[in-house]
Amino acid sequence: MSLRVGVIGGGQLARMMIAPAVELGVELRVLAEDEGMAASLAATAVGDYRDAAAVLAFAHDVDVVTFDHEHVPQPVLRALVDAGVAVHPGPDALQFAQDKIAMRTRLAELGAPQPDWAAVTGTDQLQEFLDAHGGRAVVKTPRGGYDGKGVRVVSRAEEAVDWFTALAEDANGGALLVEELVDFTRELAQQVARRPSGEVRAYPVVETVQRGGVCAEVIAPAPHASERLVEVAARIGVGIAEGLGVTGMLAVELFETTDDRLLVNELAMRPHNSGHWSQDGAVTGQFEQHLRAVLDLPLGDPAALAPWSVMVNILGGPTRGSLSERFAGAMAEHPEAKIHTYGKQPRPGRKVGHVNTVGDDLDDVTYQARAAAAHFDG
Amino acid sequence: MSLRVGVIGGGQLARMMIAPAVELGVELRVLAEDEGMAASLAATAVGDYRDAAAVLAFAHDVDVVTFDHEHVPQPVLRALVDAGVAVHPGPDALQFAQDKIAMRTRLAELGAPQPDWAAVTGTDQLQEFLDAHGGRAVVKTPRGGYDGKGVRVVSRAEEAVDWFTALAEDANGGALLVEELVDFTRELAQQVARRPSGEVRAYPVVETVQRGGVCAEVIAPAPHASERLVEVAARIGVGIAEGLGVTGMLAVELFETTDDRLLVNELAMRPHNSGHWSQDGAVTGQFEQHLRAVLDLPLGDPAALAPWSVMVNILGGPTRGSLSERFAGAMAEHPEAKIHTYGKQPRPGRKVGHVNTVGDDLDDVTYQARAAAAHFDG
C-alpha cells in the first residue's frame, strides 16, 4: 500500500510535488480548482476548496492533507481536523499565513525581528504611523495578497481609503497592516522543513531578487553571507517554524538591512518560489521534503549539491506560440540548464516556468540560467 | 500545446520518464499492458503491444512513440512507421536489440570489439565451438532473454538440446548464439544518447556489479578507469549508436578483460538500469535525456554532479509489508539517500526500487546506498 498525500489546489506547487511523489512511490492526489490545471496529471477531483463537503469527500481516504496555497478557509480546515484527517500545516499554523496582522502579532510575541508595524483601522492612525516613520510606509491588506498584490507604498493616509472601505467587514474589523519602509540592501529567504513529530531542517539561506513585487531570481546560497548571517537566518526560520507550529515547508522572506539586521518580511507555509533551486541544486528538493515532512517521515538532507545554484523565473512566457516551441533554442545553447514549465498558458507577468542551473562559478551559473530563461520571453 | 511522447509499455522505465516529463512540461502517454502497472499514473490506454491496431490507435496523436522495453514485434513497428508515426528507436535499430545473433553479426561488420561468438544450429556446431574455446561457453537464446534469463553456461552441447528443440521454428532457424566465456575483471556500461538529427552525448562509463545475472549495484564513474578506458568505452558506445542508427538512450554492457580490452556483452536501446544513478547524479538524467532524444530536442549535459554516484537496486523488497513501511528507517539513518520505488508488489528477485547516493568519498557513498537499500530487504 502506498502512502497517500492529498493536495488541495492544482497549481504549479502541487504539480512540482508529482515528480518526487512518483520517484519515492507516494500516491499524490490533487483537488484541483478546475480541469486542465498545472497539476492535472495528479488531479483525482475537481472542486471548490471553500466547500467543506467537497474537501471532506476528497480527504476521506488520504493519509494527510496538504496545500498548494494558503487560502483554504479556517472553517474548512477545522472540519477536516474534526473529521480526524491529518492536516499539515494545520489550521493553528495556517492562520498566521492567512492573516498578516495575526502573523505580526505572533512574531512579536516570539521576539522575531520585524519591521516596525501597526494594525490601523483608519486614516488617522495610518497618518500617525506615517508621521512617525519618515512620511512613507508600506500598507498591506491582511488577507489574500500575493506577488505584490495587496501591497502599496503610501506617503499620505488617503491613499489607502479604498482599502479601509473595502475591509470594513473583514475579520480584523477593517484594520490594515502598516509597516515601516525598511532600508534594506537585499532580500533573503530562509526555508525550513518541520515534521509533526518535531524534526527540523534548515536549507541554506538564499538571496531573492524581486522585480515588480514578483520573485525574478534566486541565488543559493546567498552570496557574501557571513557565517553569522547564515546562523541568524536559520535560527529565525527554525524559531518561527517551531513557534508557529508549522509542519511541512516554511519560507521566511527576510530583509537584510543596511545596518546588518535581518527582519521578517513575509511567511509562506508551503513550498515556495525561493526554494525552486533545490529541485536541481540540493540533495533533497523542497517538494520531496514537503512530502516527507507532512507524512511525518524523517527529513532529507537539505545541503546544496554544488557551490552555487541559480533559479530564474519564466515570467509571462512567449508572446507567440507555446513554451515548448522554445525548448530547441534554450536546450541547444544551454545543455546544463534545467528547464521547468508548468503547463500554464503564457500571460503577461504570470509565472509559467523557471530555469535552474548549478555549478562552481556564480557568474557562469547566473548567466546560463538567465540566458536559458530568456529564450522563453518575447 | 505540449509535446506528446507515447511510451509503449507501463513498467518502471516508463514510470521513471514521468518525473522529467512533468518537470519539462512534456505530455507523457503510456500504453500499459494492464491496470495498476508501475507507470499507471501516465497510462492513457491499456492494450497489447503485439496488437498493431491497439498500438496504432494509441499512437495516432502523439509526436513520437518510444518504449519501456524492446519486445514490440517488427510488424507492429513497421505498421507505425508506415502510418507516418515517428518511432524512436526505430525498427531498423531495434531489430539488433531484439535478436542477439543479428546484433553480433552487425557489430562484427562495424568492427566493434566482441567476444568470440557463433550462431549454432545444432549440438555438433555447439560442441565444435566448445572444443575450440576451452570446453565451456555461454549459450543464449537470440530473442526474449533479460536479467540472466535465456543465458546458460554450458560445458557439453547436450545441455542446450531443449533450447535447440524449442527454437526450431524461430526466425533464426533454430540457431542459438554461443559466446566465449570472457575472462573479465569487471563489467562496465557505457550509455549514449543520440537524437534523430544526429547529435550524440556519451555518459561517463560506469561499473556494474551483477548478482545472479541481475544488476545489483552501479558505480559512476567506473573507479580506477584510465583516460584511455574512458575514451575507448565512449568511442564504442558512440560507434554503436551511430552504426546501428539508435535514437534515444543506448546502453552498451561491456566486459573489461584481464588483458585490458573492452568487449561488448549486451545492448539495450532504452533507459537502462546501469543509468539510474544519473537521475540524482548527473546534470541530465537518462530519463530526461531519452525524452529529449526521441523528441529530437538538443541533448542535455550528461556530466556527473559529484565525484561519485552509487546506485543499489532493491531486489525483491520486503517479505512482510510494503516498501513504504520501510521509509522511516531508511530515511532516518540515511538522510542523503535518494529512494526510488516503482509501485510494484515485492516478490523475490524482482526489481522494485533503487537507492542513489552521490558525494565525494566513494566508500561513504557506497555504504550509504547499500545500507539504505538494505532497509527494504527481509
Side-chain angles (χ1 to χ4, degrees):
Chain A
M1 192 61 153
S2 299
L3 297 169
R4 287 157 304 182
V5 175
V7 186
I8 299 181
Q12 66 258 30
L13 300 180
R15 179 193 180 96
M16 290 188 270
M17 296 178 203
I18 297 173
V22 169
E23 288 309 321
L24 268 180
V26 165
E27 187 181 334
L28 199 75
R29 298 185 184 185
V30 170
L31 174 63
E33 293 83 345
D34 237 317
E35 307 287 344
M37 299 277 297
S40 62
L41 179 65
T44 54
V46 170
D48 186 344
Y49 59 79
R50 295 162 300 191
D51 175 353
V55 172
L56 279 164
F58 167 74
H60 87 281
D61 60 354
V62 297
D63 294 300
V64 60
V65 163
T66 190
F67 309 95
D68 174 67
H69 56 71
E70 292 133 335
H71 308 318
V72 179
Q74 284 284 324
V76 176
L77 298 171
R78 302 282 171 193
L80 285 170
V81 172
D82 291 347
V85 178
V87 179
H88 294 294
D92 289 343
L94 271 172
Q95 62 176 318
F96 301 113
Q98 294 178 327
D99 187 314
K100 293 184 207 292
I101 291 175
M103 184 266 277
R104 287 292 180 213
T105 305
R106 182 73 184 120
L107 291 191
E109 291 168 8
L110 292 172
Q114 307 194 77
D116 280 352
W117 66 277
V120 290
T121 52
T123 48
D124 286 358
Q125 285 183 330
L126 176 53
Q127 192 59 52
E128 206 172 301
F129 188 93
L130 283 167
D131 294 342
H133 291 86
R136 291 181 79 208
V138 185
V139 179
K140 297 179 177 177
T141 57
R143 301 175 151 270
Y146 69 97
D147 278 357
K149 293 176 183 66
V151 176
R152 199 180 278 175
V153 175
V154 303
S155 47
R156 294 181 307 119
E158 288 69 33
E159 294 173 57
V161 163
D162 57 331
W163 280 357
F164 281 120
T165 309
L167 287 176
E169 303 297 307
D170 187 79
N172 289 295
L176 292 176
L177 175 64
V178 57
E179 299 174 355
E180 68 170 316
L181 259 183
V182 173
D183 192 11
F184 63 87
T185 51
R186 59 176 174 172
E187 293 187 69
L188 305 173
Q190 174 65 54
Q191 285 195 301
V192 167
R194 182 170 174 272
R195 54 188 285 217
S197 55
E199 187 191 5
V200 178
R201 292 259 190 177
Y203 278 79
V205 65
V206 302
E207 179 173 340
T208 67
V209 181
Q210 319 285 322
R211 286 196 200 105
V214 179
C215 177
E217 289 185 19
V218 172
I219 306 164
H224 315 295
S226 66
E227 217 170 291
R228 183 192 144 274
L229 181 135
V230 170
E231 280 174 24
V232 170
R235 197 158 63 232
I236 291 171
V238 169
I240 293 175
E242 293 178 338
L244 271 49
V246 181
T247 42
M249 288 298 301
L250 166 71
V252 181
E253 297 183 64
L254 296 160
F255 295 121
E256 184 178 1
T257 66
T258 47
D259 56 348
D260 284 338
R261 292 176 304 145
L262 294 179
L263 302 177
V264 176
N265 180 20
E266 304 273 1
L267 303 182
M269 296 183 190
R270 49 173 171 74
H272 187 254
N273 201 164
S274 64
H276 289 357
W277 69 274
S278 66
Q279 293 174 299
D280 301 300
V283 175
T284 310
Q286 66 164 342
F287 297 97
E288 176 181 343
Q289 194 76 295
H290 188 72
L291 295 175
R292 291 165 74 141
V294 301
L295 284 163
D296 204 13
L297 288 169
L299 300 176
D301 183 353
L305 285 164
W308 298 107
S309 299
V310 170
M311 190 272 338
V312 175
N313 274 333
I314 301 171
L315 292 170
T319 50
R320 291 163 287 100
S322 66
L323 284 157
S324 58
E325 286 170 45
R326 309 298 177 93
F327 283 169
M331 290 175 176
E333 290 178 32
H334 307 285
E336 66 283 74
K338 305 309 297 174
I339 296 165
H340 301 255
T341 74
Y342 309 152
K344 291 161 71 174
Q345 273 306 113
R347 199 166 67 198
R350 196 179 204 194
K351 291 177 181 173
V352 295
H354 66 274
V355 174
N356 287 334
T357 52
V358 304
D360 297 329
D361 181 83
L362 179 55
D363 285 344
D364 183 58
V365 171
T366 305
Y367 166 73
Q368 299 294 345
R370 286 182 186 166
H375 277 272
F376 297 91
D377 291 339
Chain B
M1 192 63 154
S2 299
L3 297 168
R4 288 157 304 182
V5 175
V7 185
I8 298 181
Q12 67 257 29
L13 300 180
R15 179 192 180 95
M16 290 189 270
M17 295 178 203
I18 297 174
V22 170
E23 288 310 322
L24 268 181
V26 165
E27 188 181 332
L28 199 75
R29 298 185 184 184
V30 169
L31 174 63
E33 293 83 345
D34 236 317
E35 306 288 343
M37 299 277 296
S40 62
L41 180 65
T44 55
V46 169
D48 185 345
Y49 59 79
R50 295 162 299 190
D51 174 353
V55 172
L56 279 164
F58 167 74
H60 87 281
D61 60 354
V62 298
D63 294 301
V64 60
V65 163
T66 189
F67 308 95
D68 174 68
H69 57 71
E70 292 134 334
H71 308 318
V72 179
Q74 284 285 324
V76 176
L77 298 171
R78 302 282 171 193
L80 285 170
V81 172
D82 290 347
V85 178
V87 179
H88 295 293
D92 290 342
L94 272 171
Q95 63 177 318
F96 301 113
Q98 294 178 327
D99 187 315
K100 293 185 208 292
I101 291 175
M103 185 266 278
R104 288 291 180 214
T105 306
R106 182 75 184 118
L107 290 191
E109 290 167 8
L110 291 172
Q114 307 194 75
D116 280 352
W117 65 277
V120 290
T121 51
T123 48
D124 286 358
Q125 286 184 328
L126 176 54
Q127 191 60 51
E128 205 172 302
F129 188 94
L130 283 167
D131 294 343
H133 291 86
R136 291 181 77 210
V138 184
V139 179
K140 297 179 177 177
T141 57
R143 303 177 149 268
Y146 67 97
D147 278 356
K149 293 175 184 65
V151 176
R152 200 180 278 175
V153 175
V154 304
S155 49
R156 293 181 308 116
E158 288 68 33
E159 295 173 58
V161 163
D162 56 332
W163 280 357
F164 281 119
T165 309
L167 287 176
E169 302 297 306
D170 187 79
N172 288 296
L176 292 176
L177 175 64
V178 57
E179 299 174 354
E180 68 169 318
L181 260 183
V182 173
D183 192 10
F184 62 86
T185 50
R186 59 176 174 172
E187 294 186 69
L188 305 174
Q190 174 65 53
Q191 285 195 301
V192 168
R194 181 170 175 273
R195 52 188 287 218
S197 55
E199 187 192 3
V200 179
R201 291 258 191 178
Y203 278 79
V205 64
V206 302
E207 179 173 339
T208 66
V209 180
Q210 320 286 322
R211 288 197 199 102
V214 179
C215 177
E217 289 184 19
V218 172
I219 306 164
H224 315 295
S226 66
E227 217 170 290
R228 184 192 143 275
L229 180 136
V230 170
E231 280 174 24
V232 170
R235 196 158 61 232
I236 291 170
V238 170
I240 293 174
E242 293 178 337
L244 270 50
V246 181
T247 43
M249 288 298 301
L250 166 72
V252 181
E253 297 183 62
L254 297 159
F255 296 121
E256 185 178 0
T257 66
T258 47
D259 56 349
D260 284 338
R261 290 176 304 145
L262 294 179
L263 302 177
V264 176
N265 180 19
E266 303 273 359
L267 302 183
M269 296 182 191
R270 49 173 170 76
H272 187 254
N273 201 164
S274 64
H276 289 356
W277 70 274
S278 66
Q279 293 175 300
D280 301 299
V283 176
T284 310
Q286 67 164 341
F287 297 97
E288 176 181 344
Q289 195 76 294
H290 187 73
L291 294 175
R292 291 165 75 141
V294 301
L295 283 163
D296 204 13
L297 287 169
L299 300 176
D301 183 355
L305 285 164
W308 298 107
S309 299
V310 170
M311 191 271 341
V312 175
N313 274 334
I314 301 172
L315 291 171
T319 50
R320 290 164 288 98
S322 66
L323 284 156
S324 58
E325 286 169 48
R326 310 296 178 95
F327 282 169
M331 289 176 177
E333 289 177 33
H334 307 285
E336 66 283 73
K338 305 308 299 175
I339 296 166
H340 302 255
T341 73
Y342 309 151
K344 291 161 71 174
Q345 273 305 113
R347 199 166 68 197
R350 196 180 203 194
K351 290 178 182 174
V352 294
H354 65 276
V355 174
N356 287 334
T357 52
V358 304
D360 298 330
D361 181 83
L362 179 55
D363 285 345
D364 183 57
V365 171
T366 305
Y367 167 74
Q368 299 293 344
R370 285 180 185 167
H375 277 272
F376 297 92
D377 290 340

